[in-house]
Amino acid sequence: SLKAEVLGLQQEKWLLDGLSASKARWNVLAQQIMVMDLDRDPSEKSAVNPDSWAGYRSPRNRLLKQIRDRKIANPVVLTGDEHQNYAGDLYLDGAHPTGAPIGTEFVVTSISSGGDGVDQRDDMAKIQAVNPQLKFNNSQRGYAICDVTPERWQTEFRVLDAITRRDGKLTTRAKLVTEAGKPGIVAA
C-alpha cells in the first residue's frame, strides 16, 4: 500500500540531521503548506485541511517529535500558499495544546490573488476561537517582514486595505514576536 508523506524518508533524514547539526540561533523551515494543526470545523466535529501537514498526521508528528526530542534551537516555520495570514504555536496535537510549544509558525498570504480580502472572515474568527494555538489570523493581501536578532524573532504583517484600486493603503496589521529559548508567540 502507498503511504502518504510530505517528505520522503531520505529527505526527512537529511532535514533532521541538518537541523541537529545546526549551531544557528534560529532554525528556519521555509516551505509551502501549513504545519500548524488547526481544527477547521468550529462545531463539536473536527476537520483539517488535507492539503496541509495536518492532512499527513504521521509525518507531521514524526517531524515535530524529532524537533522537540533533538532539542532543535528556536524552530520557526515560514509558510505561504494559504491566501490568509496566520501566526501560531506548534504542538503535536492542536486539539490539546499542552506544555510549551515545539516551535512557531508564520503563514503569509498572497500579495494580490483572491481580491481585497477583509480583516478577518467570520468563519475564521470562529475557527480561531476553538484553536488556542492560533494567535493571529487575517484575510487581507500583503506580505510579512521578519526582523531577527539573537534575542527575538519579530514578524510584521503588512496588509493592503484594497488591491483592486491603485490607492490601496498599506498598514501594519500585527507585529508578533517569539523570544529565543522561549517558544510561543507574543505581541510585540
Side-chain angles (χ1 to χ4, degrees):
S1 80
L2 185 61
K3 237 175 150 177
E5 300 283 342
V6 176
L7 298 173
L9 292 179
Q10 283 184 311
Q11 291 171 314
E12 186 176 307
K13 181 183 180 330
W14 171 85
L15 174 62
L16 291 167
D17 288 349
L19 288 170
S20 295
S22 172
K23 303 286 187 241
R25 173 65 59 108
W26 298 96
N27 286 285
V28 181
L29 300 176
Q31 46 92 62
Q32 73 281 9
I33 57 174
M34 185 184 286
V35 175
M36 203 178 337
D37 187 21
L38 294 182
D39 179 355
R40 307 275 180 143
D41 186 339
S43 73
E44 289 77 36
K45 299 176 185 175
S46 90
V48 298
N49 177 357
D51 288 333
S52 74
W53 278 86
Y56 299 85
R57 296 226 60 83
S58 293
R60 178 190 178 279
N61 287 353
R62 198 168 53 237
L63 175 67
L64 289 177
K65 280 179 187 175
Q66 288 294 312
I67 289 172
R68 180 195 65 198
D69 295 349
R70 293 181 187 208
K71 296 179 177 30
I72 304 302
N74 304 306
V76 174
V77 178
L78 300 176
T79 302
D81 200 30
E82 278 278 340
H83 299 279
Q84 291 191 59
N85 294 305
Y86 298 84
D89 300 329
L90 297 174
Y91 293 91
L92 288 179
D93 183 357
H96 304 96
T98 57
I102 295 168
T104 303
E105 182 171 22
F106 298 101
V107 181
V108 182
T109 185
S110 57
I111 292 175
S112 62
S113 61
D116 290 340
V118 296
D119 183 54
Q120 188 177 49
R121 297 183 340 211
D122 290 341
D123 64 324
M124 287 309 305
K126 292 174 184 167
I127 289 170
Q128 186 171 354
V130 298
N131 286 278
Q133 74 278 24
L134 179 59
K135 306 302 182 186
F136 172 72
N137 170 256
N138 167 270
S139 296
Q140 292 170 298
R141 305 298 153 241
Y143 59 92
I145 298 171
C146 298
D147 181 13
V148 182
T149 70
E151 295 77 34
R152 58 123 182 96
W153 179 295
Q154 176 179 286
T155 298
E156 178 180 349
F157 288 93
R158 305 279 290 161
V159 300
L160 284 160
D161 66 341
I163 62 164
T164 56
R165 304 183 322 263
R166 289 189 180 268
D167 65 344
K169 184 178 177 188
L170 182 67
T171 59
T172 295
R173 175 57 184 84
K175 287 184 183 179
L176 303 165
V177 169
T178 186
E179 296 177 24
K182 298 179 185 174
I185 293 176
V186 296

